[in-house]
mmCIF file with all atom_site columns, all heavy atoms in Angstrom:
data_model
loop_
_atom_site.group_PDB
_atom_site.id
_atom_site.type_symbol
_atom_site.label_atom_id
_atom_site.label_alt_id
_atom_site.label_comp_id
_atom_site.label_asym_id
_atom_site.label_entity_id
_atom_site.label_seq_id
_atom_site.pdbx_PDB_ins_code
_atom_site.Cartn_x
_atom_site.Cartn_y
_atom_site.Cartn_z
_atom_site.occupancy
_atom_site.B_iso_or_equiv
_atom_site.pdbx_formal_charge
_atom_site.auth_seq_id
_atom_site.auth_comp_id
_atom_site.auth_asym_id
_atom_site.auth_atom_id
_atom_site.pdbx_PDB_model_num
ATOM 1   N N   . LEU A 1 305 ? -0.907 20.283 -10.986 1.00 88.00 ? 305 LEU A N   1
ATOM 2   C CA  . LEU A 1 305 ? -0.163 20.632 -12.199 1.00 88.00 ? 305 LEU A CA  1
ATOM 3   C C   . LEU A 1 305 ? 1.336  20.506 -11.956 1.00 88.00 ? 305 LEU A C   1
ATOM 4   O O   . LEU A 1 305 ? 2.079  20.021 -12.824 1.00 88.00 ? 305 LEU A O   1
ATOM 5   C CB  . LEU A 1 305 ? -0.510 22.052 -12.649 1.00 88.00 ? 305 LEU A CB  1
ATOM 6   C CG  . LEU A 1 305 ? 0.265  22.581 -13.861 1.00 88.00 ? 305 LEU A CG  1
ATOM 7   C CD1 . LEU A 1 305 ? 0.030  21.702 -15.084 1.00 88.00 ? 305 LEU A CD1 1
ATOM 8   C CD2 . LEU A 1 305 ? -0.123 24.028 -14.159 1.00 88.00 ? 305 LEU A CD2 1
ATOM 9   N N   . GLN A 1 306 ? 1.804  20.921 -10.777 1.00 90.00 ? 306 GLN A N   1
ATOM 10  C CA  . GLN A 1 306 ? 3.219  20.797 -10.461 1.00 90.00 ? 306 GLN A CA  1
ATOM 11  C C   . GLN A 1 306 ? 3.652  19.337 -10.414 1.00 90.00 ? 306 GLN A C   1
ATOM 12  O O   . GLN A 1 306 ? 4.753  18.988 -10.850 1.00 90.00 ? 306 GLN A O   1
ATOM 13  C CB  . GLN A 1 306 ? 3.528  21.485 -9.127  1.00 90.00 ? 306 GLN A CB  1
ATOM 14  C CG  . GLN A 1 306 ? 3.422  23.010 -9.175  1.00 90.00 ? 306 GLN A CG  1
ATOM 15  C CD  . GLN A 1 306 ? 3.616  23.635 -7.805  1.00 90.00 ? 306 GLN A CD  1
ATOM 16  O OE1 . GLN A 1 306 ? 2.701  23.676 -6.988  1.00 90.00 ? 306 GLN A OE1 1
ATOM 17  N NE2 . GLN A 1 306 ? 4.821  24.115 -7.546  1.00 90.00 ? 306 GLN A NE2 1
ATOM 18  N N   . VAL A 1 307 ? 2.785  18.480 -9.897  1.00 90.00 ? 307 VAL A N   1
ATOM 19  C CA  . VAL A 1 307 ? 3.096  17.047 -9.880  1.00 90.00 ? 307 VAL A CA  1
ATOM 20  C C   . VAL A 1 307 ? 3.175  16.510 -11.307 1.00 90.00 ? 307 VAL A C   1
ATOM 21  O O   . VAL A 1 307 ? 4.080  15.738 -11.649 1.00 90.00 ? 307 VAL A O   1
ATOM 22  C CB  . VAL A 1 307 ? 2.039  16.266 -9.077  1.00 90.00 ? 307 VAL A CB  1
ATOM 23  C CG1 . VAL A 1 307 ? 2.326  14.768 -9.122  1.00 90.00 ? 307 VAL A CG1 1
ATOM 24  C CG2 . VAL A 1 307 ? 2.006  16.742 -7.628  1.00 90.00 ? 307 VAL A CG2 1
ATOM 25  N N   . LEU A 1 308 ? 2.236  16.922 -12.157 1.00 88.00 ? 308 LEU A N   1
ATOM 26  C CA  . LEU A 1 308 ? 2.242  16.478 -13.551 1.00 88.00 ? 308 LEU A CA  1
ATOM 27  C C   . LEU A 1 308 ? 3.522  16.895 -14.256 1.00 88.00 ? 308 LEU A C   1
ATOM 28  O O   . LEU A 1 308 ? 4.134  16.120 -14.998 1.00 88.00 ? 308 LEU A O   1
ATOM 29  C CB  . LEU A 1 308 ? 1.039  17.056 -14.299 1.00 88.00 ? 308 LEU A CB  1
ATOM 30  C CG  . LEU A 1 308 ? -0.353 16.642 -13.839 1.00 88.00 ? 308 LEU A CG  1
ATOM 31  C CD1 . LEU A 1 308 ? -1.412 17.212 -14.778 1.00 88.00 ? 308 LEU A CD1 1
ATOM 32  C CD2 . LEU A 1 308 ? -0.475 15.135 -13.763 1.00 88.00 ? 308 LEU A CD2 1
ATOM 33  N N   . VAL A 1 309 ? 3.935  18.141 -14.030 1.00 90.00 ? 309 VAL A N   1
ATOM 34  C CA  . VAL A 1 309 ? 5.152  18.648 -14.668 1.00 90.00 ? 309 VAL A CA  1
ATOM 35  C C   . VAL A 1 309 ? 6.357  17.833 -14.216 1.00 90.00 ? 309 VAL A C   1
ATOM 36  O O   . VAL A 1 309 ? 7.211  17.435 -15.032 1.00 90.00 ? 309 VAL A O   1
ATOM 37  C CB  . VAL A 1 309 ? 5.333  20.146 -14.349 1.00 90.00 ? 309 VAL A CB  1
ATOM 38  C CG1 . VAL A 1 309 ? 6.721  20.617 -14.765 1.00 90.00 ? 309 VAL A CG1 1
ATOM 39  C CG2 . VAL A 1 309 ? 4.267  20.978 -15.059 1.00 90.00 ? 309 VAL A CG2 1
ATOM 40  N N   . MET A 1 310 ? 6.432  17.552 -12.915 1.00 92.00 ? 310 MET A N   1
ATOM 41  C CA  . MET A 1 310 ? 7.562  16.784 -12.400 1.00 92.00 ? 310 MET A CA  1
ATOM 42  C C   . MET A 1 310 ? 7.572  15.353 -12.944 1.00 92.00 ? 310 MET A C   1
ATOM 43  O O   . MET A 1 310 ? 8.626  14.731 -13.044 1.00 92.00 ? 310 MET A O   1
ATOM 44  C CB  . MET A 1 310 ? 7.523  16.748 -10.864 1.00 92.00 ? 310 MET A CB  1
ATOM 45  C CG  . MET A 1 310 ? 7.840  18.072 -10.202 1.00 92.00 ? 310 MET A CG  1
ATOM 46  S SD  . MET A 1 310 ? 8.098  17.912 -8.415  1.00 92.00 ? 310 MET A SD  1
ATOM 47  C CE  . MET A 1 310 ? 6.483  17.366 -7.850  1.00 92.00 ? 310 MET A CE  1
ATOM 48  N N   . ALA A 1 311 ? 6.411  14.834 -13.311 1.00 90.00 ? 311 ALA A N   1
ATOM 49  C CA  . ALA A 1 311 ? 6.315  13.432 -13.723 1.00 90.00 ? 311 ALA A CA  1
ATOM 50  C C   . ALA A 1 311 ? 6.625  13.198 -15.187 1.00 90.00 ? 311 ALA A C   1
ATOM 51  O O   . ALA A 1 311 ? 6.858  12.058 -15.595 1.00 90.00 ? 311 ALA A O   1
ATOM 52  C CB  . ALA A 1 311 ? 4.908  12.908 -13.417 1.00 90.00 ? 311 ALA A CB  1
ATOM 53  N N   . VAL A 1 312 ? 6.652  14.260 -15.997 1.00 90.00 ? 312 VAL A N   1
ATOM 54  C CA  . VAL A 1 312 ? 6.753  14.086 -17.449 1.00 90.00 ? 312 VAL A CA  1
ATOM 55  C C   . VAL A 1 312 ? 8.036  13.378 -17.858 1.00 90.00 ? 312 VAL A C   1
ATOM 56  O O   . VAL A 1 312 ? 8.016  12.334 -18.537 1.00 90.00 ? 312 VAL A O   1
ATOM 57  C CB  . VAL A 1 312 ? 6.636  15.445 -18.170 1.00 90.00 ? 312 VAL A CB  1
ATOM 58  C CG1 . VAL A 1 312 ? 7.000  15.295 -19.640 1.00 90.00 ? 312 VAL A CG1 1
ATOM 59  C CG2 . VAL A 1 312 ? 5.230  16.001 -18.044 1.00 90.00 ? 312 VAL A CG2 1
ATOM 60  N N   . VAL A 1 313 ? 9.189  13.921 -17.474 1.00 92.00 ? 313 VAL A N   1
ATOM 61  C CA  . VAL A 1 313 ? 10.463 13.355 -17.930 1.00 92.00 ? 313 VAL A CA  1
ATOM 62  C C   . VAL A 1 313 ? 10.689 11.951 -17.358 1.00 92.00 ? 313 VAL A C   1
ATOM 63  O O   . VAL A 1 313 ? 11.060 11.028 -18.103 1.00 92.00 ? 313 VAL A O   1
ATOM 64  C CB  . VAL A 1 313 ? 11.642 14.292 -17.589 1.00 92.00 ? 313 VAL A CB  1
ATOM 65  C CG1 . VAL A 1 313 ? 12.972 13.624 -17.942 1.00 92.00 ? 313 VAL A CG1 1
ATOM 66  C CG2 . VAL A 1 313 ? 11.499 15.605 -18.348 1.00 92.00 ? 313 VAL A CG2 1
ATOM 67  N N   . PRO A 1 314 ? 10.472 11.720 -16.051 1.00 91.00 ? 314 PRO A N   1
ATOM 68  C CA  . PRO A 1 314 ? 10.631 10.345 -15.555 1.00 91.00 ? 314 PRO A CA  1
ATOM 69  C C   . PRO A 1 314 ? 9.725  9.341  -16.257 1.00 91.00 ? 314 PRO A C   1
ATOM 70  O O   . PRO A 1 314 ? 10.124 8.198  -16.487 1.00 91.00 ? 314 PRO A O   1
ATOM 71  C CB  . PRO A 1 314 ? 10.279 10.473 -14.068 1.00 91.00 ? 314 PRO A CB  1
ATOM 72  C CG  . PRO A 1 314 ? 10.644 11.872 -13.719 1.00 91.00 ? 314 PRO A CG  1
ATOM 73  C CD  . PRO A 1 314 ? 10.264 12.659 -14.933 1.00 91.00 ? 314 PRO A CD  1
ATOM 74  N N   . ALA A 1 315 ? 8.496  9.755  -16.611 1.00 90.00 ? 315 ALA A N   1
ATOM 75  C CA  . ALA A 1 315 ? 7.602  8.836  -17.325 1.00 90.00 ? 315 ALA A CA  1
ATOM 76  C C   . ALA A 1 315 ? 8.165  8.495  -18.698 1.00 90.00 ? 315 ALA A C   1
ATOM 77  O O   . ALA A 1 315 ? 8.130  7.326  -19.134 1.00 90.00 ? 315 ALA A O   1
ATOM 78  C CB  . ALA A 1 315 ? 6.216  9.455  -17.456 1.00 90.00 ? 315 ALA A CB  1
ATOM 79  N N   . LEU A 1 316 ? 8.702  9.502  -19.393 1.00 91.00 ? 316 LEU A N   1
ATOM 80  C CA  . LEU A 1 316 ? 9.305  9.245  -20.703 1.00 91.00 ? 316 LEU A CA  1
ATOM 81  C C   . LEU A 1 316 ? 10.533 8.347  -20.570 1.00 91.00 ? 316 LEU A C   1
ATOM 82  O O   . LEU A 1 316 ? 10.777 7.470  -21.408 1.00 91.00 ? 316 LEU A O   1
ATOM 83  C CB  . LEU A 1 316 ? 9.682  10.570 -21.374 1.00 91.00 ? 316 LEU A CB  1
ATOM 84  C CG  . LEU A 1 316 ? 8.499  11.466 -21.777 1.00 91.00 ? 316 LEU A CG  1
ATOM 85  C CD1 . LEU A 1 316 ? 9.011  12.787 -22.333 1.00 91.00 ? 316 LEU A CD1 1
ATOM 86  C CD2 . LEU A 1 316 ? 7.615  10.757 -22.799 1.00 91.00 ? 316 LEU A CD2 1
ATOM 87  N N   . LEU A 1 317 ? 11.313 8.557  -19.510 1.00 92.00 ? 317 LEU A N   1
ATOM 88  C CA  . LEU A 1 317 ? 12.488 7.707  -19.290 1.00 92.00 ? 317 LEU A CA  1
ATOM 89  C C   . LEU A 1 317 ? 12.057 6.275  -18.988 1.00 92.00 ? 317 LEU A C   1
ATOM 90  O O   . LEU A 1 317 ? 12.738 5.316  -19.378 1.00 92.00 ? 317 LEU A O   1
ATOM 91  C CB  . LEU A 1 317 ? 13.329 8.267  -18.142 1.00 92.00 ? 317 LEU A CB  1
ATOM 92  C CG  . LEU A 1 317 ? 14.047 9.588  -18.428 1.00 92.00 ? 317 LEU A CG  1
ATOM 93  C CD1 . LEU A 1 317 ? 14.679 10.146 -17.156 1.00 92.00 ? 317 LEU A CD1 1
ATOM 94  C CD2 . LEU A 1 317 ? 15.113 9.403  -19.507 1.00 92.00 ? 317 LEU A CD2 1
ATOM 95  N N   . TYR A 1 318 ? 10.937 6.113  -18.276 1.00 91.00 ? 318 TYR A N   1
ATOM 96  C CA  . TYR A 1 318 ? 10.420 4.773  -18.006 1.00 91.00 ? 318 TYR A CA  1
ATOM 97  C C   . TYR A 1 318 ? 10.120 4.060  -19.320 1.00 91.00 ? 318 TYR A C   1
ATOM 98  O O   . TYR A 1 318 ? 10.547 2.911  -19.533 1.00 91.00 ? 318 TYR A O   1
ATOM 99  C CB  . TYR A 1 318 ? 9.152  4.856  -17.152 1.00 91.00 ? 318 TYR A CB  1
ATOM 100 C CG  . TYR A 1 318 ? 8.456  3.518  -17.003 1.00 91.00 ? 318 TYR A CG  1
ATOM 101 C CD1 . TYR A 1 318 ? 8.806  2.654  -15.983 1.00 91.00 ? 318 TYR A CD1 1
ATOM 102 C CD2 . TYR A 1 318 ? 7.472  3.109  -17.897 1.00 91.00 ? 318 TYR A CD2 1
ATOM 103 C CE1 . TYR A 1 318 ? 8.200  1.408  -15.859 1.00 91.00 ? 318 TYR A CE1 1
ATOM 104 C CE2 . TYR A 1 318 ? 6.855  1.875  -17.783 1.00 91.00 ? 318 TYR A CE2 1
ATOM 105 C CZ  . TYR A 1 318 ? 7.212  1.033  -16.756 1.00 91.00 ? 318 TYR A CZ  1
ATOM 106 O OH  . TYR A 1 318 ? 6.618  -0.195 -16.643 1.00 91.00 ? 318 TYR A OH  1
ATOM 107 N N   . TYR A 1 319 ? 9.389  4.736  -20.213 1.00 91.00 ? 319 TYR A N   1
ATOM 108 C CA  . TYR A 1 319 ? 9.027  4.085  -21.465 1.00 91.00 ? 319 TYR A CA  1
ATOM 109 C C   . TYR A 1 319 ? 10.228 3.924  -22.392 1.00 91.00 ? 319 TYR A C   1
ATOM 110 O O   . TYR A 1 319 ? 10.269 2.985  -23.206 1.00 91.00 ? 319 TYR A O   1
ATOM 111 C CB  . TYR A 1 319 ? 7.880  4.830  -22.145 1.00 91.00 ? 319 TYR A CB  1
ATOM 112 C CG  . TYR A 1 319 ? 6.548  4.356  -21.621 1.00 91.00 ? 319 TYR A CG  1
ATOM 113 C CD1 . TYR A 1 319 ? 5.830  5.119  -20.716 1.00 91.00 ? 319 TYR A CD1 1
ATOM 114 C CD2 . TYR A 1 319 ? 6.045  3.114  -21.988 1.00 91.00 ? 319 TYR A CD2 1
ATOM 115 C CE1 . TYR A 1 319 ? 4.621  4.658  -20.209 1.00 91.00 ? 319 TYR A CE1 1
ATOM 116 C CE2 . TYR A 1 319 ? 4.842  2.646  -21.491 1.00 91.00 ? 319 TYR A CE2 1
ATOM 117 C CZ  . TYR A 1 319 ? 4.134  3.416  -20.595 1.00 91.00 ? 319 TYR A CZ  1
ATOM 118 O OH  . TYR A 1 319 ? 2.951  2.950  -20.079 1.00 91.00 ? 319 TYR A OH  1
ATOM 119 N N   . LEU A 1 320 ? 11.219 4.808  -22.294 1.00 92.00 ? 320 LEU A N   1
ATOM 120 C CA  . LEU A 1 320 ? 12.457 4.597  -23.044 1.00 92.00 ? 320 LEU A CA  1
ATOM 121 C C   . LEU A 1 320 ? 13.127 3.307  -22.585 1.00 92.00 ? 320 LEU A C   1
ATOM 122 O O   . LEU A 1 320 ? 13.589 2.505  -23.402 1.00 92.00 ? 320 LEU A O   1
ATOM 123 C CB  . LEU A 1 320 ? 13.399 5.786  -22.838 1.00 92.00 ? 320 LEU A CB  1
ATOM 124 C CG  . LEU A 1 320 ? 14.806 5.652  -23.451 1.00 92.00 ? 320 LEU A CG  1
ATOM 125 C CD1 . LEU A 1 320 ? 14.712 5.524  -24.973 1.00 92.00 ? 320 LEU A CD1 1
ATOM 126 C CD2 . LEU A 1 320 ? 15.681 6.838  -23.050 1.00 92.00 ? 320 LEU A CD2 1
ATOM 127 N N   . SER A 1 321 ? 13.148 3.101  -21.266 1.00 91.00 ? 321 SER A N   1
ATOM 128 C CA  . SER A 1 321 ? 13.728 1.875  -20.717 1.00 91.00 ? 321 SER A CA  1
ATOM 129 C C   . SER A 1 321 ? 12.982 0.643  -21.207 1.00 91.00 ? 321 SER A C   1
ATOM 130 O O   . SER A 1 321 ? 13.587 -0.328 -21.689 1.00 91.00 ? 321 SER A O   1
ATOM 131 C CB  . SER A 1 321 ? 13.690 1.928  -19.183 1.00 91.00 ? 321 SER A CB  1
ATOM 132 O OG  . SER A 1 321 ? 13.912 0.650  -18.628 1.00 91.00 ? 321 SER A OG  1
ATOM 133 N N   . VAL A 1 322 ? 11.659 0.669  -21.106 1.00 90.00 ? 322 VAL A N   1
ATOM 134 C CA  . VAL A 1 322 ? 10.851 -0.478 -21.528 1.00 90.00 ? 322 VAL A CA  1
ATOM 135 C C   . VAL A 1 322 ? 11.037 -0.730 -23.029 1.00 90.00 ? 322 VAL A C   1
ATOM 136 O O   . VAL A 1 322 ? 11.207 -1.877 -23.474 1.00 90.00 ? 322 VAL A O   1
ATOM 137 C CB  . VAL A 1 322 ? 9.369  -0.241 -21.182 1.00 90.00 ? 322 VAL A CB  1
ATOM 138 C CG1 . VAL A 1 322 ? 8.488  -1.326 -21.791 1.00 90.00 ? 322 VAL A CG1 1
ATOM 139 C CG2 . VAL A 1 322 ? 9.176  -0.192 -19.668 1.00 90.00 ? 322 VAL A CG2 1
ATOM 140 N N   . PHE A 1 323 ? 11.032 0.341  -23.817 1.00 90.00 ? 323 PHE A N   1
ATOM 141 C CA  . PHE A 1 323 ? 11.209 0.232  -25.262 1.00 90.00 ? 323 PHE A CA  1
ATOM 142 C C   . PHE A 1 323 ? 12.525 -0.465 -25.596 1.00 90.00 ? 323 PHE A C   1
ATOM 143 O O   . PHE A 1 323 ? 12.576 -1.395 -26.415 1.00 90.00 ? 323 PHE A O   1
ATOM 144 C CB  . PHE A 1 323 ? 11.153 1.616  -25.892 1.00 90.00 ? 323 PHE A CB  1
ATOM 145 C CG  . PHE A 1 323 ? 11.317 1.638  -27.390 1.00 90.00 ? 323 PHE A CG  1
ATOM 146 C CD1 . PHE A 1 323 ? 10.217 1.555  -28.225 1.00 90.00 ? 323 PHE A CD1 1
ATOM 147 C CD2 . PHE A 1 323 ? 12.587 1.734  -27.963 1.00 90.00 ? 323 PHE A CD2 1
ATOM 148 C CE1 . PHE A 1 323 ? 10.373 1.566  -29.610 1.00 90.00 ? 323 PHE A CE1 1
ATOM 149 C CE2 . PHE A 1 323 ? 12.750 1.749  -29.338 1.00 90.00 ? 323 PHE A CE2 1
ATOM 150 C CZ  . PHE A 1 323 ? 11.635 1.666  -30.162 1.00 90.00 ? 323 PHE A CZ  1
ATOM 151 N N   . LEU A 1 324 ? 13.611 -0.020 -24.969 1.00 91.00 ? 324 LEU A N   1
ATOM 152 C CA  . LEU A 1 324 ? 14.932 -0.568 -25.282 1.00 91.00 ? 324 LEU A CA  1
ATOM 153 C C   . LEU A 1 324 ? 15.070 -2.009 -24.808 1.00 91.00 ? 324 LEU A C   1
ATOM 154 O O   . LEU A 1 324 ? 15.662 -2.851 -25.497 1.00 91.00 ? 324 LEU A O   1
ATOM 155 C CB  . LEU A 1 324 ? 16.010 0.306  -24.644 1.00 91.00 ? 324 LEU A CB  1
ATOM 156 C CG  . LEU A 1 324 ? 16.146 1.720  -25.223 1.00 91.00 ? 324 LEU A CG  1
ATOM 157 C CD1 . LEU A 1 324 ? 17.103 2.556  -24.381 1.00 91.00 ? 324 LEU A CD1 1
ATOM 158 C CD2 . LEU A 1 324 ? 16.613 1.666  -26.672 1.00 91.00 ? 324 LEU A CD2 1
ATOM 159 N N   . MET A 1 325 ? 14.542 -2.317 -23.630 1.00 90.00 ? 325 MET A N   1
ATOM 160 C CA  . MET A 1 325 ? 14.643 -3.678 -23.109 1.00 90.00 ? 325 MET A CA  1
ATOM 161 C C   . MET A 1 325 ? 13.836 -4.653 -23.966 1.00 90.00 ? 325 MET A C   1
ATOM 162 O O   . MET A 1 325 ? 14.286 -5.764 -24.257 1.00 90.00 ? 325 MET A O   1
ATOM 163 C CB  . MET A 1 325 ? 14.163 -3.716 -21.660 1.00 90.00 ? 325 MET A CB  1
ATOM 164 C CG  . MET A 1 325 ? 15.038 -2.926 -20.697 1.00 90.00 ? 325 MET A CG  1
ATOM 165 S SD  . MET A 1 325 ? 16.690 -3.640 -20.482 1.00 90.00 ? 325 MET A SD  1
ATOM 166 C CE  . MET A 1 325 ? 16.307 -5.061 -19.479 1.00 90.00 ? 325 MET A CE  1
ATOM 167 N N   . ILE A 1 326 ? 12.640 -4.225 -24.386 1.00 89.00 ? 326 ILE A N   1
ATOM 168 C CA  . ILE A 1 326 ? 11.825 -5.079 -25.254 1.00 89.00 ? 326 ILE A CA  1
ATOM 169 C C   . ILE A 1 326 ? 12.476 -5.229 -26.625 1.00 89.00 ? 326 ILE A C   1
ATOM 170 O O   . ILE A 1 326 ? 12.468 -6.313 -27.218 1.00 89.00 ? 326 ILE A O   1
ATOM 171 C CB  . ILE A 1 326 ? 10.401 -4.500 -25.370 1.00 89.00 ? 326 ILE A CB  1
ATOM 172 C CG1 . ILE A 1 326 ? 9.684  -4.624 -24.014 1.00 89.00 ? 326 ILE A CG1 1
ATOM 173 C CG2 . ILE A 1 326 ? 9.613  -5.214 -26.458 1.00 89.00 ? 326 ILE A CG2 1
ATOM 174 C CD1 . ILE A 1 326 ? 8.322  -3.966 -23.986 1.00 89.00 ? 326 ILE A CD1 1
ATOM 175 N N   . GLU A 1 327 ? 13.056 -4.137 -27.121 1.00 87.00 ? 327 GLU A N   1
ATOM 176 C CA  . GLU A 1 327 ? 13.757 -4.183 -28.409 1.00 87.00 ? 327 GLU A CA  1
ATOM 177 C C   . GLU A 1 327 ? 14.898 -5.209 -28.357 1.00 87.00 ? 327 GLU A C   1
ATOM 178 O O   . GLU A 1 327 ? 15.076 -6.003 -29.301 1.00 87.00 ? 327 GLU A O   1
ATOM 179 C CB  . GLU A 1 327 ? 14.312 -2.804 -28.742 1.00 87.00 ? 327 GLU A CB  1
ATOM 180 C CG  . GLU A 1 327 ? 14.947 -2.684 -30.107 1.00 87.00 ? 327 GLU A CG  1
ATOM 181 C CD  . GLU A 1 327 ? 13.936 -2.473 -31.220 1.00 87.00 ? 327 GLU A CD  1
ATOM 182 O OE1 . GLU A 1 327 ? 12.748 -2.262 -30.924 1.00 87.00 ? 327 GLU A OE1 1
ATOM 183 O OE2 . GLU A 1 327 ? 14.333 -2.532 -32.400 1.00 87.00 ? 327 GLU A OE2 1
ATOM 184 N N   . ALA A 1 328 ? 15.649 -5.199 -27.250 1.00 88.00 ? 328 ALA A N   1
ATOM 185 C CA  . ALA A 1 328 ? 16.767 -6.134 -27.125 1.00 88.00 ? 328 ALA A CA  1
ATOM 186 C C   . ALA A 1 328 ? 16.271 -7.578 -27.121 1.00 88.00 ? 328 ALA A C   1
ATOM 187 O O   . ALA A 1 328 ? 16.818 -8.448 -27.825 1.00 88.00 ? 328 ALA A O   1
ATOM 188 C CB  . ALA A 1 328 ? 17.543 -5.839 -25.838 1.00 88.00 ? 328 ALA A CB  1
#
Side-chain angles (χ1 to χ4, degrees):
L305 176 60
Q306 291 175 279
V307 177
L308 297 185
V309 169
M310 290 191 296
V312 169
V313 174
L316 293 176
L317 291 172
Y318 172 88
Y319 274 103
L320 174 63
S321 165
V322 172
F323 180 91
L324 293 172
M325 294 293 286
I326 292 175
E327 185 82 8

